[in-house]
Amino acid sequence: MKLYTYFRSSAAYRVRIALNLKGLAYEAVPVHLLKHGGEQRAEAYRAVNPNALLPSLEIEGEQGHATITQSLAIMEYLDEAHPGVPLLPPGALGRARARELALLVACDIHPLNNLRVLRYLTHTLKIDEAAKNDWYRHWVAEGLAAFEKHLAQPQHGEAGAAPGLFCVGDAPSIADCCLVPQLYNARRFDVDLSPYPLITAIEANCAQLPAFHAAHPAQQPDAE
């Protein structure tokens, strides 16, 4: 497998965690999001991913070559193709819970704060750096507050659908794969994480696992 990645891309970071949790070897292909006007915009990379975003995962299988381009789709593919270490809990409720939390990050928080949005704010709308950072912190704080409240709500029904050591139960899931990179980026923008004790406790548990450590931006070959 070949993963097109950038060390600070939180979406690529999610997939690196998932690959590591499953013990899957992959070739990392760095795509620098800032150099040369953004290497993701080059025609060579657009031929891989027409949306010019990261990550992209190229695979070779029995049916030939394929490319998957959305982090959640990649992680769900990995779970179906390599089910040995599941990224989704057992039971319909637990699986829905993990997807719910993962999507809260991937759909509600991240799109408002990714690089192309921040560049549009400063380059096109001419918002200054302080206002851009205020925008970032506002939407991250709002999203994390919702995430924290979800974790605090008692879950009834299926065993394993409630928070445990991790977002859903006592094994990491796609929810943790999404949460940890978002917290890394939040710290880069000086977001105060003290209001989220449940979130930061889960992050601390994740940090104990080699799969999360190896996926950290500082451990990547293109880290600066």
Side-chain angles (χ1 to χ4, degrees):
M1 286 185 286
K2 183 183 294 184
L3 179 68
Y4 293 86
T5 181
Y6 176 62
F7 75 110
R8 280 184 179 155
S9 163
S10 60
Y13 189 174
R14 298 167 196 159
V15 174
R16 295 197 301 262
I17 295 169
L19 287 162
N20 293 344
L21 285 170
K22 289 184 170 290
L24 297 173
Y26 65 94
E27 176 189 353
V29 181
V31 178
H32 203 291
L33 298 184
L34 299 176
K35 289 181 179 177
H36 311 121
E39 293 176 352
Q40 75 277 17
R41 296 187 179 90
E43 288 305 313
Y45 183 67
R46 285 184 183 273
V48 175
N49 182 350
N51 208 27
L53 295 173
L54 292 174
S56 297
L57 183 72
E58 289 187 345
I59 56 176
E60 297 289 345
E62 295 179 357
Q63 298 179 342
H65 176 88
T67 302
I68 310 171
T69 62
Q70 290 285 342
S71 62
L72 270 294
I74 292 171
M75 289 191 286
E76 295 249 13
Y77 161 78
L78 293 173
D79 225 29
E80 293 179 12
H82 305 276
V85 180
L87 297 175
L88 288 168
L93 184 58
R95 296 164 80 85
R97 180 70 164 174
R99 290 185 174 108
E100 173 185 49
L101 294 173
L103 290 168
L104 194 161
V105 174
C107 295
D108 295 345
I109 302 176
H110 178 245
L112 288 166
N113 296 291
N114 70 7
L115 178 63
R116 63 178 179 172
V117 169
L118 298 181
R119 287 174 62 90
Y120 185 80
L121 289 174
T122 55
H123 292 194
T124 303
L125 299 184
K126 307 303 182 184
I127 290 174
D128 64 29
E129 193 73 8
K132 180 200 77 173
N133 291 340
D134 286 344
W135 165 284
Y136 185 101
R137 286 189 283 265
H138 169 79
W139 293 115
V140 169
E142 185 163 298
L144 292 180
F147 200 110
E148 182 82 3
K149 289 179 181 178
H150 276 289
L151 293 177
Q153 289 175 344
Q155 294 294 306
H156 304 289
E158 287 178 3
L165 294 173
F166 299 97
C167 288
V168 187
D170 291 330
S173 70
I174 58 172
D176 305 279
C177 292
C178 289
L179 176 62
V180 167
Q182 186 61 65
L183 298 179
Y184 167 81
N185 277 347
R187 286 191 174 90
R188 288 182 56 221
F189 283 83
D190 298 320
V191 175
D192 178 14
L193 299 182
S194 63
Y196 319 116
L198 297 176
I199 285 175
T200 52
I202 288 169
E203 181 193 31
N205 293 332
C206 291
Q208 301 302 310
L209 300 182
F212 284 83
H213 176 75
H216 191 278
Q219 304 302 316
Q220 306 315 300
D222 58 327
E224 297 173 354

